[in-house]
Amino acid sequence: MTTLIEAPPTDADGLLPSKKKSSGGGLGQYILIRFLLIFPTILILVTMVFFLMRITGDPITAALGGRLPPEQLAERITAAGYDRPILVQYFEYLGQLLTGNFGTTLSDNRQVTEMLTTYGSATLELTINALLVALLVGIPLGMIAAHRRDKAPDAVLRIFAILCYATPVFFSGLLFKLTFSVWLGWLPVAGRAKTSSELELTSLQAPTGIYWLDAVRSGNMAALGDVTAHAVLPALALGLLTAGIFLRLVRTNVIGTLGKDYVEAGRSRGVSEFRLVTKHAYKPALIPIITVMGLQIAVLLGGAVLTETTFEWKGLGFQLATYLTARDFVAVQGIVVLLAVIVAVTNFIVDIVAALIDPRVRY
Amino acid sequence: MAMNKKALHSAIALAGVSAFALTACTGPSGGGGTSTGSAGGGTITYGTTDKVVTLDPAGSYDAGSFMVMNQIYPFLLNAKPGTADATPDIAESAEFTSPTEYTVKLKSDLKFANGHALTSSDVKFSIDRVVSIADDNGPASLLGNLESVTAKDDSTVVFKLKAGNDQVFPGVLAANAGPIVDEEVFPADKLMSDDEIVKGKPFAGPYTIESYKKNELVSLKVNPDYKGLLGKPANDGASIKYYADSNNLKLDVQQGNIDVAGRSLTATDAADLEKDSKVTVHKGPGGELRYIVFNFDTMPFGAKTAEADPAKALAVRQAMANVVDRDAIATQVYKGTYLPAYSVVPDGFVGAIQPLKEMYGDGSGKPSLDKAKKAFSDAGVTAPVNIKLQYNPDHYGKSSGDEYAMIKEQLEKSGLFKVDLQSTEWVTYSKDRTKDVYPVYQLGWFPDYSDADNYLTPFFVPGNFLKNHYENPTVTDLITKQLTTVDKAEREKVLGDAQTAVAKDLSTLPLLQGAQLMVAGKDVKGVEKTLDASFKTRLGVISK
């Protein structure tokens, strides 16, 4: 009878199956295929953005159509080269992208690449912070909900999860701002740092533009504290959006894992429910989280537009909103393409990590 | 195995704690302030929702850009804080040496922050450059009376004027056209980008730019070589922080994250802040004028429209002037922080009259639908007339949206107009408006110098700042005459005639005039010194 439940020797409670060494033969091929898939993915995205944004015509007409006398409109269209066949423009645009040239913004005459590098780091910082919030809130609460399945805490957490992903980020952002900044005065209202910290961090040699990283690199703990304080509310507003999804996902997966034979066996041996959840059920439950995390990057980047606008977090989302209002076609296209690249690359990384954790996904 | 894992976890935790402790030890002992270490009033931070169009004096004529220019560029003449009179700044003397010659002598040993000497050649270069580039958004129109500039020697500049005894020319040199730039840095025939300007350090004003993130954060350092009228700043340095949302600006000054909040706070904000014990609301004389501009080519019945008819176009403007209720806008939208304006020159300036009060509406400043209908019927205009009305949501304060919603409501309620209300962000707006993009649109004006002329010359002479294709030789003559009339009483009369003539043509429709407003922390001193009739924000007088 004892042979029915194989007792692996790898953990203290003797529940988990032993890890068989993967042949590893498929991993290299898997990574290569995933890597090569990045390029068509980005190409499709770039192509879609390029053509979709021209559905309403050229950028000059889109921005000024109906408001500029026809002859002046034509002059400006010709000067900008938008009167040429669209395919010529498309291939020229692709050629420019390959050389890292995203063009010049229409509204304030800036190099789009310069704008992207300046503001990209701010958005990256916000996204990382939000992802941390999502993980730190979503995973433990999901495990608690699973552990207390169908009891009061579970019900409360499930409602909390629904609220998290159903509440628009600008609404939660304003609510947080009102509560923690205006009424309680605990946290800053807006921006990425106090003026003094911002000046110190931007004056560093080769700053990364990710303030907390620059603060740590320079050993400036006062600035780090300030930057962290400024990051809390935007990260919460954006991170909770994804935390709700993680919470539900972890809960479902942990509940599923808790029904497995080896966990049942553990129960029958008298291993506590808490230990079963925290020690044995969480690992298998995390694999889908990692996959979903890749998809959530796109959600977070989309949410960054609203979060950055609400908190004057001057990143790509803030700029995107500004350029959209100014109908700056070139700038918008540049930002959207960069965001597409980030999403594609992130998904690639996530696929690799998932493959390393769970060899089954390689096949 | 279990022991090994525990050891690994402990090692990671220990390493983390050690790294944190080490970095903490290397951090600054202070609070991370921006003090440069010199004695004085510390550094101050000024917040604004204004935006910089360009730091190149030849390419901008807006309050946001000029605010920064006032800190970094030197002027031959300037207004001493608390006054509006143009007196020598980096000049040793400045005077009319003949009716058409204005001679300026520079102080000795002037230099830019990059080490280049500042001589009369730079002065000639700076002024000539503004005229020759003549950018659509630049201040070239201010120099309409200038014939030529001559650098007689290293320290002497002679301005030859077309019309003699130009009473406002000294004021012009203290205004947007007057910043002196380094001829070794700036190109003579085209605008320079902000980043290139910052790199070239062509600064010789009270401050130099230490770091620059356009429309985000500008850090200013005291310029020890500045020898001008404004003297050494009362602070150790200053920062200008830019906001997109005036709510955030308001909350940041309340929380002490910035020291001073200037411009673009709404009336509701001002009323609210006056009750806050942590801040002080400072008010100064208001030269701000808010008005609607008509593009004579593209407005309904404009010269380049299919149904071009000057009489009908005038009737449209007259009907709008008759229908609009300024008092309602001032009280309902601006809670009394603005007053109705019935002239293109705000009430209170020497020579200001209120011709629109009698000419339009019920004669007392209130609207009159009957007069508006009569204007239409006299000119044969069929109602409703479609108006594409543009306003800007980020440059003249958030209440612009409410202001123009109310104007739309007033116009449409009359039954004479159908209004298509549109808005565009300032960076695009400021360019598009000079390119005939907007037929009827909002503008506001903060004067460059305290003289009624500053509300006339830039707007109503040929080739004016508005580029709205308005020309009237009578108006041009009157404006030219007031410029050169030495007798004060006579000049006031001419100024009145010019306002009446402009009110008849209605190339712009004045709506409101307002006060200057700044909000500062209780520990901030000197704000009131810069809220004078020169309408220049001088950060050097502010300290804490």
Side-chain angles (χ1 to χ4, degrees), chain A residues 42 45-46 49-50 53 93 97 100-108 110-124 127 297-298 300-306 308-309 313-344:
Chain A
I42 291 173
L45 285 168
V46 167
V49 170
F50 184 89
M53 292 197 77
Y93 180 63
L97 288 185
N101 178 7
F102 283 65
T104 307
T105 61
L106 297 171
S107 56
D108 56 2
R110 299 174 80 172
Q111 283 295 313
V112 175
T113 39
E114 178 261 333
M115 186 262 294
L116 295 178
T117 48
T118 305
Y119 299 107
S121 48
T123 298
L124 183 64
T127 311
I297 290 290
L300 290 175
L301 288 172
V305 176
L306 292 170
E308 290 183 4
T309 310
W313 188 277
K314 291 184 177 169
L316 286 179
F318 182 89
Q319 296 304 322
L320 184 61
T322 308
Y323 284 122
L324 273 171
T325 318
R327 300 179 201 177
D328 193 327
F329 191 94
V330 178
V332 170
Q333 194 167 262
I335 294 172
V336 173
V337 167
L338 181 72
L339 296 181
V341 170
I342 292 171
V343 171

Side-chain angles (χ1 to χ4, degrees), chain A residues 193-201 203 220-224 226, chain B residues 27-38 41-45 219 236-239 256-257 259 544:
Chain A
K194 273 184 193 165
T195 309
S196 54
S197 306
E198 209 160 355
L199 287 172
E200 283 169 9
L201 297 176
S203 67
N220 188 339
M221 288 300 111
L224 181 61
D226 178 41
Chain B
S29 55
T34 52
S35 175
T36 54
S38 61
T43 58
I44 56 131
T45 305
S219 167
D236 291 332
S239 300
N257 294 326
D259 301 306
K544 58 176 186 177

Side-chain angles (χ1 to χ4, degrees), chain A residues 67 119 177 181 219 312 314, chain B residues 27 216 242 245 248 255 437:
Chain A
R67 295 190 285 149
Y119 299 107
K177 224 159 89 163
S181 302
E312 296 229 11
K314 291 184 177 169
Chain B
E216 273 190 62
Y242 294 89
D245 183 352
N248 290 331
Q255 290 197 343
V437 176

Side-chain angles (χ1 to χ4, degrees), chain A residues 22-305:
Chain A
S22 152
S23 63
L27 185 61
Q29 196 182 0
Y30 174 83
I31 291 174
L32 182 68
I33 290 168
R34 292 283 148 178
F35 178 72
L36 291 175
L37 278 175
I38 288 179
F39 298 100
T41 308
I42 291 173
L43 183 67
I44 290 167
L45 285 168
V46 167
T47 307
M48 280 177 69
V49 170
F50 184 89
F51 287 103
L52 283 174
M53 292 197 77
R54 278 163 177 76
I55 280 176
T56 53
D58 62 90
I60 306 287
T61 309
L64 308 169
R67 295 190 285 149
L68 208 62
E71 65 277 11
Q72 282 192 30
L73 197 66
E75 259 175 45
R76 289 174 73 163
I77 290 169
T78 308
Y82 292 122
D83 57 340
R84 293 169 304 155
I86 195 158
L87 280 178
V88 173
Q89 293 178 51
Y90 171 66
F91 286 113
E92 191 178 273
Y93 180 63
L94 286 186
Q96 281 180 353
L97 288 185
L98 285 175
T99 58
N101 178 7
F102 283 65
T104 307
T105 61
L106 297 171
S107 56
D108 56 2
N109 212 32
R110 299 174 80 172
Q111 283 295 313
V112 175
T113 39
E114 178 261 333
M115 186 262 294
L116 295 178
T117 48
T118 305
Y119 299 107
S121 48
T123 298
L124 183 64
E125 181 173 347
L126 176 64
T127 311
I128 292 170
N129 292 343
L131 198 58
L132 278 174
V133 168
L135 292 172
L136 291 173
V137 173
I139 293 174
L141 292 186
M143 287 166 71
I144 292 169
H147 174 55
R148 310 285 291 168
R149 185 184 180 185
D150 295 335
K151 290 181 181 155
D154 180 32
V156 170
L157 287 172
R158 283 161 74 184
I159 292 168
F160 171 71
I162 292 167
L163 281 177
C164 280
Y165 59 73
T167 309
V169 71
F170 62 85
F171 179 74
S172 56
L174 283 175
L175 206 63
F176 290 153
K177 224 159 89 163
L178 200 63
T179 309
F180 298 106
S181 302
V182 180
W183 291 341
L184 299 172
W186 291 350
L187 292 163
V189 172
R192 293 179 65 198
K194 273 184 193 165
T195 309
S196 54
S197 306
E198 209 160 355
L199 287 172
E200 283 169 9
L201 297 176
T202 50
S203 67
L204 294 175
Q205 277 272 283
T208 62
I210 297 173
Y211 281 180
W212 60 259
L213 189 59
D214 289 330
V216 170
R217 280 175 65 214
S218 61
N220 188 339
M221 288 300 111
L224 181 61
D226 178 41
V227 165
T228 308
H230 278 81
V232 171
L233 294 185
L236 265 183
L238 185 55
L240 285 181
L241 194 72
T242 300
I245 293 163
F246 284 178
L247 193 159
R248 295 286 299 220
L249 206 60
V250 169
R251 178 187 174 276
T252 309
N253 284 304
V254 169
I255 287 171
T257 315
L258 287 174
K260 297 278 182 202
D261 287 348
Y262 68 91
V263 177
E264 286 294 336
R267 262 194 204 106
S268 64
R269 285 183 185 184
V271 178
S272 76
E273 196 69 18
F274 180 77
R275 191 167 176 80
L276 283 171
V277 171
T278 55
K279 186 84 179 162
H280 304 295
Y282 83 99
K283 244 187 189 172
L286 287 189
I287 293 167
I289 290 282
I290 289 163
T291 312
V292 171
M293 207 189 292
L295 299 172
Q296 287 305 307
I297 290 290
V299 174
L300 290 175
L301 288 172
V305 176

Side-chain angles (χ1 to χ4, degrees), chain B residues 254-481:
Chain B
Q254 283 181 297
Q255 290 197 343
N257 294 326
I258 57 170
D259 301 306
V260 188
R263 288 171 51 91
S264 304
L265 289 168
T266 63
T268 320
D269 287 339
D272 187 31
L273 288 164
E274 277 179 337
K275 294 178 209 151
D276 190 329
S277 61
K278 292 196 289 285
V279 296
T280 306
V281 178
H282 300 268
K283 286 180 182 168
E288 184 189 353
L289 186 70
R290 301 174 79 96
Y291 55 97
I292 291 174
V293 180
F294 296 98
N295 184 308
F296 275 46
D297 275 3
T298 57
M299 69 168 291
F301 308 109
K304 289 194 176 164
T305 60
E307 68 281 21
D309 185 331
K312 286 184 177 177
L314 177 63
V316 167
R317 300 195 296 275
Q318 288 173 333
M320 282 179 71
N322 280 311
V323 159
V324 73
D325 187 348
R326 297 168 178 82
D327 203 41
I329 304 169
T331 51
Q332 290 176 39
V333 177
Y334 290 103
K335 320 283 181 208
T337 54
Y338 281 83
L339 295 170
Y342 298 101
S343 172
V344 294
V345 178
D347 196 28
F349 278 79
V350 174
I353 59 168
Q354 297 189 317
L356 278 97
K357 204 168 192 172
E358 291 168 14
M359 289 165 74
Y360 304 104
D362 69 352
S364 69
K366 286 281 176 192
S368 168
L369 182 56
D370 291 342
K371 281 178 83 172
K373 283 181 176 167
K374 188 171 182 309
F376 265 23
S377 62
D378 287 353
V381 177
T382 311
V385 171
N386 290 315
I387 301 269
K388 281 186 177 176
L389 182 61
Q390 270 282 346
Y391 74 93
N392 169 267
D394 64 329
H395 191 67
Y396 301 115
K398 275 198 154 183
S399 300
S400 288
D402 299 331
E403 179 184 341
Y404 276 78
M406 183 171 265
I407 290 169
K408 174 184 160 80
E409 188 192 332
Q410 290 173 357
L411 293 177
E412 289 190 338
K413 204 175 159 188
S414 72
L416 302 178
F417 299 99
K418 183 92 188 71
V419 180
D420 175 9
L421 190 59
Q422 302 172 343
S423 70
T424 306
E425 292 282 310
W426 180 250
V427 176
T428 305
Y429 194 89
S430 62
K431 287 177 184 162
D432 284 352
R433 68 165 193 82
T434 62
K435 311 245 181 263
D436 296 339
V437 176
Y438 311 138
V440 184
Y441 61 96
Q442 172 197 26
L443 270 190
W445 182 251
F446 287 90
D448 311 305
Y449 49 90
S450 186
D451 191 289
D453 171 73
N454 196 223
Y455 294 89
L456 296 170
T457 301
F459 304 104
F460 307 114
V461 298
N464 61 59
F465 164 70
L466 298 176
K467 308 275 185 220
N468 65 339
H469 312 287
Y470 168 70
E471 272 191 53
N472 179 339
T474 310
V475 170
T476 309
D477 287 348
L478 285 167
I479 290 174
T480 310
K481 195 176 173 192

